[in-house]
Amino acid sequence: RMLSCLLKLTRVVLSHRLWALFILIFVFVSFAYHKLYWGMWEDPKSRGPPYSLSAEISCAHYVPSSLNIAAGPSPSTGNVFFVETSEQITPSYLFSCSVESAARTHPGSRVVVLMKGLAKENASLPKHWAFSLLSCFPNVEMRPLDLTELFSGTPLKRWYLRPLRHWEPHFLPVLSDACRIVLMWKFGGIYLDTDFIVLKNLENLTNALGIQDYDVLNGAFLSFKPKHKFMELCMQDFVQNYNGWVWGHQGPELLTRVFKKWCSIQTIKSMSCKGVSALAPEVVYPIPWQDWKKLFEAVSALELRKLLKNTHAVHIWNKLSHGTKLEIPSQALLAQLYSQFCPATYTKMKQD
């Protein structure tokens, strides 16, 4: 009887091949949709952990009690800002080192890390070793980045709310450029990219930005008093001369344009003009971006001291260097910077 049924079914299928094909496709699509739908809406607890988890950080092990930050930040000092404009919530070693080195060199300041991927509700931080480690520092605050709120009351609000803005090819870097100048104008303090290693306190560098190389300023480091006219002009130029399709147009090129107008000059050099300083490259950009591979080359302790004599912070040029393997431990310049200026992150790197 079963053989007879199979023969009948075969004849039906062969005589109705198009219908059979349609039914098979329909069943397959329905099955795929069902899996996708329930995969998206299933209870997150039933899946594996969404982050790369590690054992809880022992603050006593990673951050010795002798570190002079026990009292936390003074309310009278300014903020040090870091910004993550992507949805990324798994900080890298370099990210952790940047924040740790800033916390150690600015014990009296609040080190505020604004991350777009963090929940806006009063939720706990994601379970990731970097959040646990950085929570050991009482002057570090991890906060969600609310872009609509940040840009409110500035010329950049209408720019940000344009619906097609997010489709531009360099939107995330441009968004980061926008955040830093608004933060400096609204709140003042210090802004740093998350690929800096801070060697010295930066608070004496007021109303300042650094020369990247010949005739170009970079906004990876900014230090300004709140409501400063220079930052106001930067916001105006951001909107008036906007071009999100050219890399750097809203970042280094914008700051360079505004500074040249501010000082009425054609070529930028290390100088102070109407209360705004363009710092020599060795202050915060001692390694030119063209020579980023030097970060992975061995240097002696004497060479390191000589190189960093007049340096307050080192920009690591992560856009270029992020795929390069770093031996830990080693005498590579970058490894020595980790070891000296973010030892807690360095200890975690050695363990991993």
Side-chain angles (χ1 to χ4, degrees), residues 85-344:
T85 53
S86 74
E87 299 289 340
Q88 177 66 254
I89 49 173
T90 54
S92 66
Y93 295 117
L94 181 54
F95 184 111
S96 175
C97 182
S98 297
V99 178
E100 179 187 345
S101 63
R104 289 179 181 274
T105 51
H106 299 78
S109 300
R110 291 188 304 174
V111 179
V112 182
V113 184
L114 299 168
M115 300 185 73
K116 189 170 181 289
L118 293 182
K120 291 181 176 61
E121 299 79 19
N122 292 325
S124 58
L125 288 171
K127 291 186 180 297
H128 186 274
W129 67 265
F131 292 119
S132 298
L133 187 151
L134 294 173
S135 296
C136 294
F137 294 86
N139 58 335
V140 172
E141 298 180 13
M142 314 293 294
R143 297 184 187 175
L145 174 60
D146 187 331
L147 291 165
T148 304
E149 180 182 351
L150 177 62
F151 293 137
S152 66
T154 76
L156 278 74
K157 180 181 178 181
R158 289 182 64 187
W159 163 82
Y160 176 67
L161 293 177
R162 290 191 63 178
L164 298 179
R165 187 69 66 210
H166 297 204
W167 293 100
E168 293 173 354
H170 308 302
F171 177 69
L172 284 180
V174 169
L175 186 58
S176 178
D177 293 330
C179 288
R180 68 192 69 185
I181 61 177
V182 171
L183 283 168
M184 290 296 94
W185 184 77
K186 274 193 168 184
F187 307 108
I190 296 164
Y191 167 84
L192 290 167
D193 275 1
T194 55
D195 57 351
F196 257 109
I197 298 180
V198 187
L199 319 185
K200 302 173 185 174
N201 190 287
L202 300 166
E203 290 176 339
N204 63 324
L205 305 177
T206 308
N207 298 332
L209 63 171
I211 299 174
Q212 170 184 302
D213 49 28
Y214 173 74
D215 207 36
V216 178
L217 293 167
N218 195 308
F221 158 80
L222 296 171
S223 177
F224 280 87
K225 297 289 186 182
K227 304 298 189 294
H228 197 282
K229 183 65 177 179
F230 184 83
M231 284 291 110
E232 183 180 342
L233 292 174
C234 287
M235 291 193 299
Q236 292 172 4
D237 186 283
F238 189 99
V239 175
Q240 292 169 2
N241 299 308
Y242 184 76
N243 186 343
W245 295 82
V246 177
W247 174 265
H249 185 81
Q250 303 303 119
E253 291 183 21
L254 180 151
L255 295 167
T256 303
R257 287 194 303 271
V258 174
F259 190 79
K260 285 181 176 180
K261 291 179 184 177
W262 179 265
C263 298
S264 301
I265 57 174
Q266 296 298 317
T267 304
I268 291 177
K269 58 185 178 180
S270 179
M271 61 187 296
S272 182
C273 176
K274 294 196 290 188
V276 178
S277 298
L279 305 174
E282 61 264 23
V283 179
V284 287
Y285 304 109
I287 309 295
W289 67 266
Q290 300 93 329
D291 299 330
W292 64 268
K293 290 183 180 179
K294 287 185 177 179
L295 292 160
F296 298 87
E297 297 173 1
V299 296
S300 68
L302 180 62
E303 288 176 298
L304 180 62
R305 285 197 299 271
K306 183 179 178 182
L307 176 67
L308 304 178
K309 181 180 178 182
N310 299 314
T311 298
H312 284 64
V314 180
H315 194 222
I316 307 303
W317 307 109
N318 188 53
K319 183 174 174 61
L320 299 168
S321 65
H322 71 276
T324 307
K325 183 178 180 181
L326 177 65
E327 293 292 338
I328 295 290
S330 73
Q331 292 302 303
L333 172 57
L334 183 53
Q336 293 195 58
L337 292 176
Y338 273 113
S339 174
Q340 293 186 39
F341 300 103
C342 54

